[in-house]
């Protein structure tokens, strides 16, 4: 069996996203080395920014944003419209919780914001959540630059 670092790191990042959604995530500082195993510090900072935002602010909007992004923009392995119908029904019946969702259940379901708000249990401003994550990303980028220039 051949070791494929790129695939392993992608799986680590996806697992981290799922843990963020389910609230089973480790502190971002503990994940930094794993998320940057492939040397792609920029990609690692993006994931870390999500983790730090979840801890710094209300975690539920960050979790909701991840659900929305994965349901709408991450390519499913197989197109299965039934999966989205079933998830929408479960959301409408309130028989599913954010902490129960997996990426497998989310990807390709094309959830609307109203459905995400139902899952989260409140409305939030997605643009503001994204802005906060970008701010943290910029902080991390600046901290990395400062560390490298001090060497």
């Amino acid at each position: 069996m051949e070791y494929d670092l790129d695939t392993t790191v992608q799986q680590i990042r996806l697992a981290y996203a799922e843990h963020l959604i389910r609230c089973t995530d480790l502190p971002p500082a503990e994940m930094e080395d794993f998320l940057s195993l492939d040397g792609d510090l920029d990609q690692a900072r993006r994931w870390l920014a999500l983790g730090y935002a979840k801890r710094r602010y209300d975690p539920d909007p960050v979790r909701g944003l991840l659900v929305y992004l994965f349901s709408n923009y991450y390519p499913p392995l197989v197109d299965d419209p039934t999966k989205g119908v079933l998830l929408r029904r479960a959301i409408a019946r309130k028989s599913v919780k954010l902490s129960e969702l997996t990426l497998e259940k989310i990807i390709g379901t094309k959830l609307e914001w109203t459905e995400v708000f139902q899952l989260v249990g409140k409305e939030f401003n997605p643009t503001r959540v994204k802005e906060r994550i970008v701010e943290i990303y910029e902080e991390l980028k600046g901290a990395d630059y400062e560390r490298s220039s001090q060497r």
Side-chain angles (χ1 to χ4, degrees), residues 3-135:
Y3 178 72
D4 182 3
L5 182 62
D6 291 337
T7 301
T8 300
V9 174
Q10 180 181 12
Q11 290 171 342
I12 290 169
R13 291 174 181 151
L14 291 174
Y16 184 59
E18 186 169 303
H19 283 282
L20 288 169
I21 292 168
R22 297 177 65 122
C23 278
T24 57
D25 51 303
L26 293 172
E30 291 182 33
M31 290 299 301
E32 188 170 353
D33 290 340
F34 294 111
L35 295 170
S36 61
L37 271 174
D38 61 354
D40 189 344
L41 298 180
D42 190 56
Q43 193 66 243
R45 277 191 291 272
R46 292 171 196 219
W47 291 102
L48 289 168
L50 288 159
Y52 282 114
K54 184 174 173 261
R55 290 173 183 272
R56 189 180 294 181
Y57 305 109
D58 182 353
D60 292 336
V62 175
R63 296 166 68 205
L65 177 65
L66 281 168
V67 168
Y68 180 82
L69 293 174
F70 275 102
S71 79
N72 283 282
Y73 298 108
Y74 198 83
L77 294 175
V78 177
D79 189 27
D80 181 5
T82 307
K83 183 168 75 167
V85 170
L86 294 174
L87 182 55
R88 282 183 181 76
R89 279 190 199 145
I91 292 169
R93 287 191 314 258
K94 298 182 181 177
S95 63
V96 66
K97 298 176 185 172
L98 270 173
S99 61
E100 299 169 341
L101 292 177
T102 62
L103 293 183
E104 182 180 41
K105 291 178 184 177
I106 300 165
I107 290 172
T109 57
K110 306 280 188 213
L111 296 178
E112 301 285 334
W113 279 113
T114 54
E115 295 157 335
V116 172
F117 296 154
Q118 283 180 290
L119 269 172
V120 171
K122 60 187 165 195
E123 289 190 27
F124 58 89
N125 182 335
T127 301
R128 182 65 189 135
V129 175
K130 288 183 238 177
E131 288 170 352
R132 288 178 171 164
I133 293 166
V134 169
E135 287 170 10

